[in-house]
Amino acid sequence: MCAHSYHAHRPSRESDVEDSKAELRWGVEQRLEFIEFRLFWEGRVNRSDLMDQFGVSVNQASADLNRYIGLAPDNMVYDKSARTYVRTPVFAAHFSEPDASKYLAQLHSVADGILDRDDAWITELPPFASAPTPVRGVNPATLRSVVGAIRRSEAIEVKYQSLSRPEPSWRWIAPHAIAFDGFRWHTRAFCETDECFKDFLLSRMLKIRGSRESGVSAGADRDWHTEVTLEIAPHPDLSETQAKVIALDYGMRGGKAKIKVRRALLYYALRRLGLDTDPAARRPQDQQIILLNPEAVLEYDNGPQTASNTARTTTSPGLQAAKKNGLPH
């Protein structure tokens, strides 16, 4: 089919695909998404790929490929010499929009041993390495107890080692959520000792010895349920071309990007973005971005005290407010 006729008929074909997708069983649709994933990222797919990935028969794999051809006939053709289906120049995704972040996340998971190599949809892993981070020692039994308490709306008694105290102590907390700051896993919980919501590092929970019904509502955690929008832009002292590449790095539009973050996680977000210190303290090439709306952070300065008072001081606008709402206990 020529390019002209392809584009002329594409709207009706997309409608047919949407109608057909609605009728597909989940397992079939997942295999069709797999075919599309392999075509986009690897440029080819064959029956053995489906058989190896999903454990289906030869006949089922052939049926899946034929079904995909029926729904998206212009996306692949059979290469007799290579004995495989290959992507066409007019390929257009129908079942799953290509997403670089998902591909890289899968690559990261395989490389870190989180995802088994045989379970990955990537055929050939490219050479990969990442900056090492310390392994956080979260006890699986501890995590199970915390997740169970969240599901049952219970409080649990934990022996917790806080850095604000020399020795661990027992306390009752009512967890309602799990959070990740980019390096460590926390639970967001109401602390009955301090009578406020705080972050508790899972790795600092040394023992758990009891549970009981909690009378605290998760909806009362204002910092968790309130979002702050950070507006960032390239550092004004970067050259025009440097600013453009930073805009691409952060997915900016019109020279800025908006990032929504829970107020409880604001401190971590500012730190990860390099906005936890005065931008003037670093070279523009190192700082790279600035916060356009520091007032959006400062307006939360009257929020409840929910963090340890041992945090380091800084002149960065709004970081004192962020500390109060996010630093782990």
Side-chain angles (χ1 to χ4, degrees):
M1 181 178 291
C2 68
H4 174 74
S5 60
Y6 169 77
H7 290 292
H9 291 84
R10 185 174 175 182
S12 61
R13 180 167 297 140
E14 287 182 343
S15 177
D16 292 340
V17 169
E18 290 303 315
D19 292 341
S20 298
K21 284 172 64 178
E23 300 172 359
L24 292 174
R25 299 190 308 275
W26 178 82
V28 176
E29 184 172 356
Q30 187 183 39
R31 295 196 296 273
L32 295 180
E33 289 182 4
F34 172 81
I35 291 171
E36 199 156 84
F37 180 93
R38 282 288 175 90
L39 285 173
F40 181 83
W41 292 106
E42 313 288 346
R44 62 187 184 277
V45 66
N46 57 33
R47 289 183 306 184
S48 64
D49 293 331
L50 288 161
M51 294 165 63
D52 293 341
Q53 188 68 38
F54 298 99
V56 297
S57 66
V58 174
N59 290 340
Q60 183 62 64
S62 296
D64 289 335
L65 289 168
N66 288 330
R67 185 190 294 268
Y68 185 83
I69 291 172
L71 295 172
D74 300 303
N75 276 4
M76 67 181 187
V77 295
Y78 190 72
D79 185 331
K80 293 182 178 179
S81 61
R83 302 181 67 180
T84 188
Y85 287 94
V86 296
R87 184 184 62 232
T88 67
V90 293
F91 173 91
H94 290 290
F95 290 91
S96 181
E97 193 66 25
D99 188 334
S101 63
K102 289 182 179 179
Y103 181 94
L104 294 172
Q106 189 172 154
L107 175 62
H108 198 176
S109 296
V110 172
D112 284 356
I114 298 172
L115 179 67
D116 189 84
R117 177 67 185 84
D118 293 335
D119 294 330
W121 285 12
I122 303 173
T123 307
E124 299 177 4
L125 290 174
F128 171 83
S130 63
T133 56
V135 177
R136 301 297 178 177
V138 177
N139 187 311
T142 297
L143 178 60
R144 181 184 62 190
S145 296
V146 171
V147 172
I150 292 172
R151 290 173 177 166
R152 296 185 294 269
S153 299
E154 292 180 339
I156 54 177
E157 189 178 17
V158 301
K159 188 176 185 180
Y160 190 80
Q161 178 62 71
S162 171
L163 293 188
S164 62
R165 299 181 181 182
E167 299 295 332
S169 61
W170 288 97
R171 64 178 65 213
W172 284 91
I173 65 171
H176 70 82
I178 300 292
F180 183 63
D181 65 11
F183 296 99
R184 303 173 298 185
W185 287 98
H186 312 245
T187 184
R188 185 73 178 173
F190 182 80
C191 176
E192 295 187 9
T193 300
D194 296 330
E195 298 185 334
C196 63
F197 287 95
K198 291 184 175 182
D199 288 352
F200 291 87
L201 286 168
L202 296 178
S203 58
R204 294 182 188 171
M205 293 184 182
L206 306 181
K207 290 182 182 179
I208 298 178
R209 68 181 181 187
S211 64
R212 67 188 183 197
E213 185 177 351
S214 172
V216 179
S217 170
D221 189 352
R222 186 177 63 177
D223 294 330
W224 180 262
H225 295 288
T226 301
E227 284 189 336
V228 180
T229 299
L230 304 177
E231 293 187 10
I232 61 171
H235 196 289
D237 292 336
L238 292 174
S239 70
E240 182 178 352
T241 54
Q242 287 173 333
K244 286 182 178 179
V245 77
I246 292 300
L248 289 173
D249 282 346
Y250 288 87
M252 296 181 185
R253 293 184 178 180
K256 64 181 181 179
K258 293 184 178 181
I259 301 173
K260 289 186 177 181
V261 59
R262 294 181 188 271
R263 189 168 83 179
L265 303 179
L266 182 57
Y267 171 78
Y268 311 123
L270 292 173
R271 186 174 59 182
R272 292 201 72 186
L273 290 169
L275 299 172
D276 57 337
T277 59
D278 187 342
R282 297 188 181 112
R283 295 171 58 247
Q285 292 78 8
D286 296 327
Q287 180 61 34
Q288 299 183 3
I289 60 172
I290 59 168
L291 185 63
L292 293 178
N293 61 332
E295 69 282 354
V297 177
L298 289 169
E299 70 177 276
Y300 295 109
D301 198 30
N302 294 322
Q305 180 71 28
T306 60
S308 167
N309 291 323
T310 60
R312 65 185 177 85
T313 58
T314 178
T315 57
S316 177
L319 193 61
Q320 296 299 326
K323 281 184 200 172
K324 292 203 295 186
N325 302 310
L327 198 66
H329 181 69

